[in-house]
Amino acid sequence: MMEKSKKYVFRRMIPAYGLVLFALGVMVYERLIAKGAAPLSEFSSIRLGFCGGMLAAGLYMLCHDLMLMRDPERMKAIYIADCDERKIAIRAKAGMPVVLYLSVVMVMAAVVASYVNMTVCYTLLIAAVTQMLIGCGLKLYYTKTM
Amino acid sequence: MKTRIPELRKQRKLSQDELARAMGVTRQTITSIEVGKYVASLPLAYRIARYFGLTIEEVFELSEEDE
């Protein structure tokens, strides 16, 4: 069980690393490489704001999981809570794993699209937020009924 | 799905939390199984039955709705 929970927490950290790297990449490009000359630079602050948020979220997730790894009891509790078969069934019914990852990818795509066309960027953001809200609503519904 | 888990727990003076911990699931899962909101997977049903030293048929029973 301990080995399994350690592996689980370690695997959980991979998307957070991806998020942090992406946000850092965009911020470094925006501030150090493009230096205000990036395409559609008038929206630079929006991009940086988004990336700042992503960076903060990614770092929080990483720190949380790194601290978890020091406490075997909490790590085991998190593993049981996350890998509980009823919770997995609820998440699957709400389409959660796919919706969650797709939404994050869409937000990343929106940041990239903001260099080309702001309409595409806003559309992607609205779609990502909408599908996340629907996913959360379904998850809440199935949590009550299952 | 009908279940004898509450009765078996009472006989052994076990709380839902203790059973959940022994099964490696959350307390809410045990509650949902007991009230019939959630049907346990075959491995979990097997583990619960084995924990009580019984067979799956002795712990779980198909209700008319399930058939």
Side-chain angles (χ1 to χ4, degrees):
Chain A
M1 180 69 103
M2 195 49 68
E3 203 51 44
K4 267 187 186 175
S5 44
K6 206 171 183 177
K7 263 187 193 168
Y8 171 75
V9 173
F10 190 74
R11 245 193 0 250
R12 223 170 78 136
M13 285 162 69
I14 297 170
Y17 274 119
L19 206 63
V20 168
L21 284 177
F22 175 80
L24 275 178
V26 173
M27 286 170 108
V28 166
Y29 170 75
E30 194 76 38
R31 282 279 172 235
L32 301 176
I33 300 170
K35 288 177 185 165
L40 295 174
S41 55
E42 62 269 34
F43 297 108
S44 176
S45 50
I46 295 179
R47 275 193 289 266
L48 285 174
F50 255 102
C51 289
M54 275 192 220
L55 189 66
L59 285 176
Y60 171 77
M61 279 152 63
L62 275 180
C63 292
H64 180 262
D65 287 351
L66 282 172
M67 279 166 73
L68 258 186
M69 287 185 110
R70 287 187 187 169
D71 187 347
E73 278 309 308
R74 266 188 71 204
M75 197 163 67
K76 200 174 144 191
I78 290 276
Y79 174 74
I80 289 174
D82 280 6
C83 300
D84 174 54
E85 63 167 58
R86 180 175 149 269
K87 281 197 176 171
I88 290 174
I90 289 169
R91 280 202 295 261
K93 269 197 162 185
M96 235 359 182
V98 175
V99 167
L100 184 68
Y101 288 122
L102 206 61
S103 295
V104 174
V105 169
M106 278 166 91
V107 171
M108 286 176 171
V111 171
V112 175
S114 71
Y115 287 110
V116 186
N117 188 328
M118 280 314 280
T119 310
V120 175
C121 169
Y122 290 137
T123 310
L124 281 168
L125 283 178
I126 292 167
V129 170
T130 309
Q131 71 175 13
M132 271 298 284
L133 286 176
I134 292 172
C136 288
L138 283 174
K139 198 177 163 191
L140 210 67
Y141 171 74
Y142 287 121
T143 305
K144 294 277 172 203
T145 55
M146 272 177 82
Chain B
M1 181 79 80
K2 285 179 187 168
T3 171
R4 283 181 57 213
I5 297 175
E7 178 195 330
L8 294 165
R9 271 197 311 105
K10 270 178 200 157
Q11 280 173 8
R12 286 161 178 78
K13 289 178 182 152
L14 267 175
S15 68
Q16 287 184 333
D17 199 38
E18 284 165 330
L19 179 63
R21 254 184 272 165
M23 295 299 107
V25 294
T26 57
R27 189 188 52 76
Q28 289 91 331
T29 300
I30 299 293
T31 311
S32 291
I33 292 170
E34 285 186 0
V35 297
K37 272 188 179 178
Y38 175 69
V39 179
S41 69
L42 189 56
L44 179 59
Y46 188 81
R47 285 208 307 272
I48 292 172
R50 198 170 55 178
Y51 183 79
F52 289 117
L54 301 166
T55 61
I56 291 179
E57 292 89 340
E58 286 170 319
V59 180
F60 297 95
E61 189 190 320
L62 269 180
S63 60
E64 281 178 20
E65 289 169 22
D66 299 314
E67 288 190 50

